[in-house]
Amino acid sequence: MRAVTRVLAVLLLVALSDTHASLQDTPAAGVQVVEISAERFSFTPSEIRVKAGTRLELRLRSDDTTHGFHIIGTDIDIELPKRGRGTTTVEFQPKAGRYTFECSQLCGAGHEFMRGVIIATE
Amino acid sequence: MTPLLGYRAVSRLLAPVATLLLLATSPALAQTPERPAAARRESRTNLSGYMDFHYNKVEFTDGRLDFHRFVLLVTHSFSDRIRFVGELELEHALVEGLEDAGELELEQAYVDFLLHRSFNVRAGMMLMPIGIINERHEPPMYYGVERPFVDTVIIPTTWFETGVGVHGEVGRGWRYRAFVAAPLNAAEFSAGEGVRGGSQKGSESNIGRAAVTGRLEYVGRRGLTLGASAWSGHSGFEFRPRFDVPVSVVAADARYSRNRLELRGQFAHVAIEHADQLNDALARRVGVDPNIARAMRGFYGEAGYRVISGARFGDVGAFARYENFDTQFRMPAGAVRLPQFDRDAFVVGANFWPDPDVAVKVDYSIVRNRSAFIQAPNSLNIGLGWWF
């Protein structure tokens, strides 16, 4: 039991050490690139914080089956091809607010858990 | 507790849930305070599914071809915030009345009311959120033809019950689920397969005292999932005179994948209180003491590696898994522990994915137990599984 506890504690520390969204340097002025991986049944990162008005370039990739990427309340609803079949890029410039995104392609028993949020603040 | 009190307890739980469901239709709970030009999605229905076709050659027996699972999933979005998910499974290809053949099971049939990222309500037939495989069992997703032994005799996958509950993500990759559901029926427990037979499967389930279950999960780091699950219920409802059989299940699991490597591990423990009374009651009913334990335990560790990845013909991965599982880990006073139920398994094999949604699998399971007289059989398994 002690060994199991120790292993879990180490994994928890590793997890807590890197909890922020994957924001990269911009390829063009004013554009912020975010790489998002989709895997049954989560997006990573699932929480993205930006300043309102930032031009976001979302680079999405699936690590297993076909997924969807839909930002609720917007026209953005795309299909992410299966593992190894490339990255899909979406541009999004949020006003201040919270934008929930979700998998829009049925991907398995836990499909409904596959959600995330973009939080744009002033 | 009497059924009447149980009804009251359930009513107390359902009252706030019902209020929230009414609020789900309110525009005031919109997800975004400011939205871009909104594109409201029309309602839509999706069909999907998975299949599992197996060849099993268990030592000392003839080989068998088995169309193990034929599963259809259907989802329907009434709106962005109200969804239906259904999963119908046919096991072993054939269902015949009163015969121990296949099973036709309604594994999922629930409505999700998606109120907020951190708080959503689910009601209907739901998967219990215990362990890795119970909620993630599409064949291309795991190594090995059959599911791990621990996910069969310690955690009774696929474990589904009727109930109601909440789920959500509270930020930075932390997710939770908490459900109230029908309890396991202790009259169906056994020495060899633990609590597996006890699922009521939503068929006029006794809900005199509802079970509670939950899972806390971390998915905030790319490739890493950590989970802790628990289930607690009272399972002695079928006996007269009635006596209490509190049962609890706890599990911890971890998965990590990076590039071609995938690691996973799981620990699960089942505790059955008053197992001595349970054995006495079952012995009076069937004439044989079923020798059910007061504690069952199992764990496994698995490493998989994609030796070929990104090739035109697909991916190939090899894996090895060690499992230890004992359905008689601790016995009630006066009961004899049977060593044949203290088992180890070493499973090695390979998956070939010609497509990410199609897996051809082969493995060999070496199973050992502590008995000097009863041998656990090894097995060769070949499988074809797909998701669409």
Side-chain angles (χ1 to χ4, degrees):
Chain A
M1 272 307 282
R2 281 184 185 168
V4 173
T5 309
R6 278 190 207 125
V7 169
L8 288 175
V10 169
L11 288 171
L12 195 61
L13 284 172
V14 169
L16 291 172
S17 68
D18 179 17
T19 58
H20 295 286
S22 171
L23 302 179
Q24 291 198 343
D25 290 337
T26 57
V31 177
Q32 198 164 30
V33 175
V34 182
E35 291 187 352
I36 301 175
S37 63
E39 182 206 26
R40 292 181 175 110
F41 299 100
S42 60
F43 289 104
T44 308
S46 60
E47 183 174 314
I48 299 159
R49 292 175 180 271
V50 294
K51 281 202 169 297
T54 304
R55 285 171 58 204
L56 282 175
E57 185 177 305
L58 307 174
R59 295 179 183 170
L60 298 126
R61 158 193 111 210
S62 169
D63 287 336
D64 43 39
T65 188
T66 305
H67 291 286
F69 181 79
H70 170 221
I71 302 178
I72 294 174
T74 76
D75 287 325
I76 295 173
D77 187 359
I78 56 166
E79 185 176 288
L80 311 183
K82 297 175 186 181
R83 176 190 172 97
R85 297 186 185 173
T87 299
T88 306
T89 300
V90 173
E91 291 188 0
F92 181 49
Q93 190 166 14
K95 296 176 182 175
R98 294 172 64 92
Y99 299 84
T100 297
F101 58 86
E102 63 179 6
C103 177
S104 53
Q105 179 81 33
L106 180 56
C107 60
H111 166 70
E112 293 296 320
F113 294 129
M114 213 168 154
R115 292 162 75 85
V117 65
I118 298 169
I119 301 169
T121 53
E122 294 289 359
Chain B
M1 187 184 284
T2 66
L4 177 61
L5 288 174
Y7 172 77
R8 283 180 182 164
V10 171
S11 300
R12 271 187 228 121
L13 283 166
L14 289 179
V17 170
T19 307
L20 286 164
L21 298 188
L22 288 172
L23 287 171
T25 58
S26 162
L29 276 179
Q31 301 267 3
T32 56
E34 289 182 56
R35 298 182 183 195
R40 183 162 184 79
R41 300 184 99 203
E42 294 180 1
S43 63
R44 68 180 193 185
T45 303
N46 287 313
L47 179 68
S48 195
Y50 67 89
M51 321 273 153
D52 243 344
F53 176 47
H54 294 169
Y55 168 76
N56 305 105
K57 174 69 180 80
V58 179
E59 209 173 9
F60 316 122
T61 66
D62 290 334
R64 290 189 173 200
L65 275 177
D66 184 24
F67 204 103
H68 196 151
R69 296 183 182 90
F70 178 93
V71 182
L72 293 177
L73 282 100
V74 60
T75 63
H76 179 75
S77 299
F78 298 100
S79 71
D80 279 339
R81 286 188 280 131
I82 304 177
R83 314 276 177 81
F84 163 75
V85 175
E87 180 178 348
L88 193 63
E89 174 163 334
L90 174 61
E91 286 197 352
H92 307 297
L94 173 70
V95 178
E96 286 187 296
L98 302 179
E99 288 190 19
D100 188 18
E103 292 177 299
L104 184 63
E105 297 174 332
L106 185 63
E107 289 201 346
Q108 297 192 84
Y110 62 78
V111 174
D112 252 341
F113 297 88
L114 303 173
L115 306 174
H116 188 271
R117 179 173 170 242
S118 61
F119 188 85
N120 307 287
V121 176
R122 175 172 295 185
M125 183 82 85
M126 310 180 295
L127 297 177
M128 298 294 96
I130 309 291
I132 297 174
I133 291 290
N134 206 52
E135 294 183 301
R136 300 171 51 83
H137 48 245
E138 292 74 16
M141 291 176 69
Y142 59 91
Y143 282 105
V145 176
E146 303 292 348
R147 296 173 183 179
F149 293 100
V150 172
D151 286 304
T152 305
V153 299
I154 305 296
I155 298 174
T157 65
T158 304
W159 187 1
F160 52 93
E161 299 286 2
T162 42
V164 61
V166 295
H167 63 91
E169 181 165 334
V170 291
R172 296 182 180 274
W174 289 95
R175 309 200 294 201
Y176 73 93
R177 332 216 228 287
F179 302 145
V180 175
L184 294 168
N185 180 3
E188 303 296 333
F189 293 175
S190 69
E193 296 210 321
V195 301
R196 181 170 186 78
S199 174
Q200 297 194 73
K201 300 186 175 182
S203 180
E204 300 184 12
S205 301
N206 183 303
I207 194 73
R209 297 180 74 173
V212 293
T213 182
R215 177 175 172 84
L216 182 64
E217 190 172 73
Y218 176 76
V219 294
R221 186 182 173 88
R222 198 178 302 261
L224 177 69
T225 302
L226 301 174
S229 316
W231 184 97
S232 177
H234 296 263
S235 299
F237 51 81
E238 196 173 300
F239 297 101
R240 298 292 180 278
R242 187 185 291 262
F243 65 96
D244 199 11
V245 185
V247 177
S248 60
V249 181
V250 293
D253 58 79
R255 290 187 298 116
Y256 181 70
S257 62
R258 187 177 180 88
N259 300 326
R260 298 176 178 216
L261 178 69
E262 185 177 350
L263 304 172
R264 59 174 64 187
Q266 181 169 281
F267 170 84
H269 182 92
V270 178
I272 302 171
E273 291 184 46
H274 306 161
D276 49 350
Q277 290 182 55
L278 174 61
N279 285 325
D280 289 345
L282 286 171
R284 284 194 298 275
R285 180 182 285 192
V286 299
V288 179
D289 186 334
N291 215 47
I292 294 164
R294 66 179 171 85
M296 306 168 188
R297 178 174 288 184
F299 61 87
Y300 68 81
E302 177 187 286
Y305 188 79
R306 294 203 184 214
V307 292
I308 299 171
S309 179
R312 265 189 303 182
F313 59 83
D315 288 9
V316 176
F319 79 100
R321 179 170 65 235
Y322 171 74
E323 298 192 60
N324 182 294
F325 52 106
D326 185 357
T327 49
Q328 302 217 319
F329 182 66
R330 294 283 184 270
M331 299 303 292
V336 177
R337 186 179 186 218
L338 300 176
Q340 65 264 34
F341 296 125
D342 183 1
R343 291 158 280 185
D344 294 280
F346 189 65
V347 186
V348 293
N351 281 16
F352 165 49
W353 291 273
D355 180 282
D357 288 331
V358 178
V360 180
K361 304 178 178 184
V362 59
D363 69 51
Y364 191 76
S365 298
I366 302 164
V367 186
R368 294 288 177 266
N369 64 37
R370 303 289 175 274
S371 172
F373 308 104
I374 300 172
Q375 189 176 345
N378 301 330
S379 62
L380 169 70
N381 306 292
I382 301 171
L384 173 62
W386 62 97
W387 160 267
F388 68 90

